[in-house]
Amino acid sequence: GTTQNRQNSGVAVSTAARYLRITCAATQVLVELLDTSLALLASYTFTTNLPGSTVSMGLVIGVETQEAVAKTLALFHARGVNTTP
């Protein structure tokens, strides 16, 4: 589909490392932003516009500027664990 689920975390831009944890269940997707000590900085549960259970998904990471300022995204490590809810 073409509908995007977007949510502003409200976390200020920083050079500190962050972790993104995505947990999927049958009717919702929980997205959590964590700091390096795994303390929760922000979270959001998506419950609408979710793909069907038979749809294959891939990880895509990006930054969309909200003002006329250049941004740099450094992705140091990504690890996915596929589990069935």
Side-chain angles (χ1 to χ4, degrees):
T2 57
T3 303
Q4 294 183 13
N5 286 331
R6 301 187 318 166
Q7 181 67 28
N8 185 341
S9 69
V11 176
V13 174
S14 169
T15 58
R18 302 283 189 241
Y19 295 99
L20 184 66
R21 180 168 49 201
I22 303 171
T23 307
C24 301
T27 59
Q28 65 185 26
V29 174
L30 172 62
V31 178
E32 298 170 297
L33 185 63
L34 310 161
D35 67 12
T36 54
S37 64
L38 302 182
L40 183 64
L41 300 174
S43 69
Y44 189 79
T45 302
F46 294 97
T47 58
T48 59
N49 302 319
L50 301 176
S53 61
T54 60
V55 176
S56 296
M57 302 292 289
L59 178 65
V60 177
I61 297 174
V63 172
E64 182 177 332
T65 57
Q66 296 181 352
E67 64 281 325
V69 176
K71 301 253 188 319
T72 301
L73 178 66
L75 179 62
F76 295 102
H77 180 77
R79 183 178 143 229
V81 178
N82 186 10
T83 59
T84 352

